[in-house]
Amino acid sequence: MVIKGELTFPGDKSISHRSLMFAALANGESRLSNSSTGVDVQSTRKCLEACGIKIWNDGNDVIVKGGTFSNPSEPLDCGNSGTTTRLLLGLLAGQGINATFIGDDSLSSRPMNRILDPLSKMGLISESNNGKLTITIHKSELAGIKYESPVASAQVKSAVLLAGLGASGKTSVTEPTLSRDHTEKMLTGLGVNIIVDGLSTTISKSSSPLLSFKLSVPGDPSTAAFFATAAALVPKSEIKLNHVLANPTRTGFFAALEKMGGGMACVNQWEETGELIYNLKIFHQPLQSINIDEKDVPGLIDELPLIAILATQAKGKTEIRGAKELRVKECDRIHAICKNLKKMGADIEELDDGFIINGPTNLNGAEIETFHDHRIAMAFSIAELVADGDVELDNPECASISYPEFYDVLERLKQ
Ligand code: S3P
């Protein structure tokens, strides 16, 4: 079996969440094309609708009639989505909305103090379950702060900046390493007063509402990475990935794959609505190990399960460090990667902030615990391509959180 074909992808999940939220803030009708088909983005849509924003489909496009938010009459169900919770909580706090946020078991165990701490410094009155969901926010007068974030997290940065849109004065966030910059880029494009200075971003209270906009969301590089891994792993494979977002804060996986010796060619690259986009060709070549440390992590945080699988087939010792954030994703991804790869016969050692893999090793089929985490489910479906025997996932359906079409597309590529 080889992996062959040409793919385009539904829109990037991070940009899709933000485009719905920013369209909701804007006066008038915005038109979004190629929005993510994932359940997470549906959670954002439903929460915005519960806050009085009218959203409907027009063919494949989504139309958002934004303007004013109202207090939701029911708790906002953010499902499995950390981005929905953290960004929307900041945004609604800035708009003076009373709301309660709930989510599934995974989301309810994730740390929310990372946003509640800075937001309470801005004046937000809220109650939480020991820094976790359920959280209720109350209409509060917010004032800008200068916040030094202890983590490189785009969700934290965005929550504070979005609250800053409605806070008096200026709000600035400094992060230890640059995390994805979609919030600041998109808001700048929409005319908001934002200044980026190295690792610090400052936003000023917006006196007039945003203007409505049209956006075609570029293909999701985090989704493309699964198929790139498949083609890189399976001998004689070659795949073309079209219209993939090439924002420099998101290209870490492809840079790492190239460094590992993976076959890669950028067929062409261009700019569209302020973002770089590229078409890539990925093909199989022998792989070698790689070292990844704290400064590299934000650029490929969601792709580390795939780097682990590549490393099992690469010659030498791969060390991933400075990735403690993986422990507080949809599941403890360090634990999930190590437990499942060990079951498949990989030589992997778990570290507090990462893992060490010695390769190459033959992988065998195994029963895989997904921990109901979409990226674990999809990553181990890719591992199966180079395993002797079948991989049985305990919850394959969770892939729909980011890419409901995943298994159909993967089947289509197998030749
Ligand atoms: C996201 C940011 C990342 C990423 C998540 C989406 C975003 O989280 O893991 O899948 O859209 O801002 P952190 O920035 O909190 O690490």
Side-chain angles (χ1 to χ4, degrees):
M1 184 263 304
V2 294
I3 298 293
K4 283 223 184 295
E6 186 161 345
L7 295 176
T8 51
F9 299 95
D12 179 59
K13 187 154 80 74
S14 292
I15 295 184
S16 298
H17 282 295
R18 286 162 175 79
S19 59
L20 281 171
M21 292 184 202
F22 302 163
L25 273 173
N27 248 349
E29 284 181 20
S30 294
R31 178 176 287 268
L32 312 175
S33 321
N34 200 41
S35 201
S36 162
T37 50
V39 172
D40 267 5
V41 172
Q42 292 308 314
S43 294
T44 289
R45 174 176 173 159
K46 284 184 196 146
C47 289
L48 290 170
E49 287 172 330
C51 295
I53 305 295
K54 295 273 174 290
I55 305 178
W56 65 95
N57 292 356
D58 179 22
N60 291 329
D61 292 354
V62 177
I63 315 290
V64 181
K65 190 168 188 313
T68 11
F69 291 85
S70 50
N71 293 326
S73 54
E74 303 277 328
L76 297 174
D77 187 351
C78 302
N80 188 246
S81 174
T83 309
T84 306
T85 316
R86 296 191 176 118
L87 271 62
L88 200 58
L89 199 149
L91 184 149
L92 294 181
Q95 302 302 307
I97 294 297
N98 298 310
T100 294
F101 293 78
I102 58 171
D104 68 9
D105 288 346
S106 151
L107 189 60
S108 303
S109 70
R110 295 180 68 183
M112 294 297 160
N113 265 342
R114 50 179 57 202
I115 59 162
L116 293 177
D117 287 348
L119 294 179
S120 77
K121 288 195 178 106
M122 294 175 80
L124 178 69
I125 298 163
S126 66
E127 288 110 44
S128 75
N129 176 18
N130 278 323
K132 296 185 175 161
L133 296 181
T134 301
I135 299 175
T136 297
I137 61 169
H138 302 281
K139 180 179 172 142
S140 320
E141 285 294 321
L142 301 190
I145 54 164
K146 281 190 173 169
Y147 186 61
E148 294 261 348
S149 176
V151 280
S153 160
Q155 294 181 356
V156 171
K157 172 172 63 177
S158 303
V160 177
L161 292 174
L162 291 175
L165 263 181
S168 61
K170 290 183 174 173
T171 301
S172 73
V173 184
T174 304
E175 50 185 345
T177 314
L178 185 66
S179 62
R180 62 192 69 189
D181 61 1
H182 306 306
T183 298
E184 47 274 44
K185 257 192 140 166
M186 291 173 77
L187 288 178
T188 302
L190 293 171
V192 174
N193 185 358
I194 290 196
I195 295 165
V196 179
D197 178 13
L199 296 173
S200 300
T201 306
T202 303
I203 195 167
S204 301
K205 184 181 167 85
S206 183
S207 44
S208 49
L210 306 185
L211 294 177
S212 55
F213 58 93
K214 279 188 187 160
L215 179 70
S216 174
V217 184
D220 194 327
S222 299
T223 301
F226 291 100
F227 303 100
T229 304
L233 285 174
V234 180
K236 299 196 170 69
S237 294
E238 180 176 309
I239 195 173
K240 208 169 157 224
L241 308 172
N242 290 333
H243 209 269
V244 178
L245 175 71
N247 174 309
T249 63
R250 299 291 299 284
T251 49
F253 167 80
F254 289 101
L257 177 58
E258 197 165 27
K259 218 168 163 185
M260 294 178 85
M264 175 154 32
C266 174
V267 181
N268 48 351
Q269 176 168 305
W270 67 99
E271 207 182 304
E272 218 175 275
T273 49
E275 287 288 5
L276 278 180
I277 320 274
Y278 49 25
N279 292 339
L280 291 174
K281 200 191 274 177
I282 309 287
F283 46 97
H284 172 78
Q285 279 184 175
L287 297 171
Q288 68 216 25
S289 59
I290 190 170
N291 288 330
I292 287 179
D293 64 26
E294 201 170 353
K295 70 174 177 353
D296 308 316
V297 166
L300 43 57
I301 181 79
D302 292 338
E303 289 70 66
L304 284 169
L306 291 171
I307 298 285
I309 285 159
L310 287 163
T312 67
Q313 304 307 303
K315 190 163 182 278
K317 178 177 166 188
T318 289
E319 259 190 82
I320 313 289
R321 291 190 179 265
K324 217 169 180 173
E325 275 294 296
L326 278 187
R327 294 217 180 261
V328 290
K329 292 293 175 188
E330 286 83 330
C331 74
D332 175 345
R333 285 187 180 153
I334 293 181
H335 174 69
I337 290 167
C338 294
K339 183 169 186 194
N340 287 317
L341 275 181
K342 259 185 206 149
K343 269 191 172 177
M344 292 184 78
D347 177 351
I348 181 165
E349 181 192 339
E350 182 167 342
L351 307 171
D352 185 38
D353 65 344
F355 41 83
I356 297 174
I357 294 176
N358 285 298
T361 44
N362 284 335
L363 296 180
N364 45 260
E367 286 180 5
I368 296 297
E369 224 178 308
T370 61
F371 300 91
H372 313 293
D373 180 331
H374 56 130
R375 297 202 196 277
I376 297 298
M378 292 188 282
F380 280 87
S381 304
I382 299 297
E384 183 182 43
L385 300 174
V386 286
D388 296 328
D390 292 341
V391 156
E392 300 284 347
L393 303 175
D394 63 357
N395 179 9
E397 291 78 26
C398 64
S400 65
I401 285 296
S402 57
Y403 194 34
E405 304 83 2
F406 175 77
Y407 300 105
D408 291 343
V409 173
L410 184 58
E411 277 314 305
R412 246 182 26 229
L413 296 177
K414 291 183 188 169
Q415 287 173 22

